[in-house]
Amino acid sequence: MTPIRNLFLRFVAPLISMLLVLPAPAQAQQENGIAVSATALTLNGRTTYQYKISNQGSQRVVALAIGNDYRYGVPELTRYPDGWSVEAGIMPGTVLSPAAWTPMVLTTEESPAVELRWRNDGSADVMPGQSLTGFAVVLAGASTQYLSAHWTAILANGGVAYGVLTQSGPPRVNLSLASLTQVSPGRFLARLDVSNSGASVAQDVRINQVTARSLAGAGAVTLSGTSLPITVGNLAAGAKSTVEVQLALPASVKRISLTQQGQLKDGGGTSLNFSGSVSAYTKQ
């Protein structure tokens, strides 16, 4: 491959592809009702930046770009995905996409800036009223640019939506005891509040295990009539849901504890564990 052809394939062709997708700013109509949020998760010296697009507009979203102020044409990202180079391209597991979406890293030889773009194959547009997660970039270290840059959404009618990323922290599930009520001799109903004190939606929340034991008095405490896992569902930031657990215990038990363990998914689809413990007097 000649140097000129190699330069064209590495730098010019991706830019031409991008320009064919993006309408000219002077001619494009801004679409309201679309937002993109960003979440950062750091583990073992690598940071994963996850993006969620929410479409409350009137048009389908067909492509998404991160890292360029579309209105003024100003690039913003100066850190590349982990392991990326012009020669090697995108390393496996470093630029992630939802199903049917394909990522692209855009850069030029003249500038240190980089832009990320995803486009779907026509079968996975983000429809009005829908949200889509699964866009993610992995960096060695961290860069606040990936939390504060501009985004551009390309619409099915040729228009665009653009704005600044809103930072969204991870969800955080908390458990508390709402009430403990005796329903018959030796049987109690515990109502547990499951709340999300984090900054983003906790998805697919479920309680996988509940362990009951006596803290005061003689006898065993067991779950009775409660099926596990307990499905809570999605919890928006600040939201709360209440679940019920049925218990059997002798009259000699005066105080009990309940320890719960469960799972949830964050906005990027990553599974997270949570746990909690509550205690209460039985007042028998």
Side-chain angles (χ1 to χ4, degrees):
M1 183 180 294
T2 66
I4 294 178
R5 177 175 173 77
N6 182 63
L7 178 65
F8 177 84
L9 292 176
R10 294 294 187 184
F11 298 109
V12 180
L15 291 176
I16 291 176
S17 175
M18 178 182 67
L19 291 173
L20 290 176
V21 173
L22 300 181
Q27 300 174 348
Q29 180 89 24
Q30 165 78 353
E31 170 79 6
N32 295 321
I34 298 176
V36 180
S37 60
T39 302
L41 297 173
T42 300
L43 181 65
N44 297 328
R46 302 170 83 221
T47 303
T48 300
Y49 296 93
Q50 302 172 336
Y51 301 101
K52 173 183 178 180
I53 182 169
S54 299
N55 183 4
Q56 299 302 320
S58 59
Q59 295 291 326
R60 294 176 287 122
V61 175
V62 302
L64 174 66
I66 302 290
N68 191 292
D69 186 344
Y70 172 80
R71 185 175 182 183
Y72 297 103
V74 179
E76 300 168 309
L77 305 178
T78 56
R79 295 282 304 280
Y80 299 106
D82 190 14
W84 184 90
S85 69
V86 171
E87 294 76 19
I90 298 173
M91 302 300 289
T94 61
V95 183
L96 310 179
S97 309
W101 287 70
T102 301
M104 179 180 289
V105 176
L106 303 171
T107 188
T108 66
E109 193 173 38
E110 295 77 18
S111 171
V114 62
E115 180 183 352
L116 302 168
R117 181 167 67 86
W118 291 267
R119 184 174 178 86
N120 84 86
D121 62 8
S123 66
D125 294 347
V126 186
M127 307 299 289
Q130 292 183 340
S131 297
L132 185 63
T133 61
F135 306 97
V137 183
V138 180
L139 298 188
S143 170
T144 57
Q145 297 169 336
Y146 280 80
L147 293 173
S148 59
H150 285 75
W151 55 267
T152 304
I154 315 306
L155 309 178
N157 67 348
V160 299
Y162 51 86
V164 178
L165 292 168
T166 58
Q167 185 173 349
S168 178
R172 177 173 295 177
V173 170
N174 302 296
L175 299 162
S176 61
L177 182 65
S179 64
L180 180 65
T181 305
Q182 186 172 12
V183 293
S184 64
R187 299 186 67 85
F188 281 76
L189 179 66
R191 302 181 74 247
L192 301 172
D193 284 341
V194 186
S195 59
N196 178 13
S197 63
S200 59
V201 177
Q203 301 179 1
D204 299 331
V205 180
R206 67 179 186 270
I207 298 174
N208 296 324
Q209 182 177 347
V210 178
T211 302
R213 66 189 183 95
S214 172
L215 295 179
V221 184
T222 60
L223 268 65
S224 176
T226 299
S227 299
L228 296 173
I230 301 173
T231 300
V232 180
N234 296 345
L235 287 175
K240 179 179 68 174
S241 182
T242 301
V243 300
E244 296 182 346
V245 176
Q246 298 181 52
L247 305 170
L249 61 153
S252 55
V253 173
K254 303 304 180 183
R255 188 183 180 196
I256 65 169
S257 72
L258 296 174
T259 301
Q260 309 90 36
Q261 295 179 334
Q263 280 189 319
L264 62 101
K265 291 182 180 179
D266 63 16
T270 301
S271 294
L272 303 172
N273 297 322
F274 68 88
S275 62
S277 182
V278 298
S279 64
Y281 288 96
T282 61
K283 297 181 180 179
Q284 295 193 80

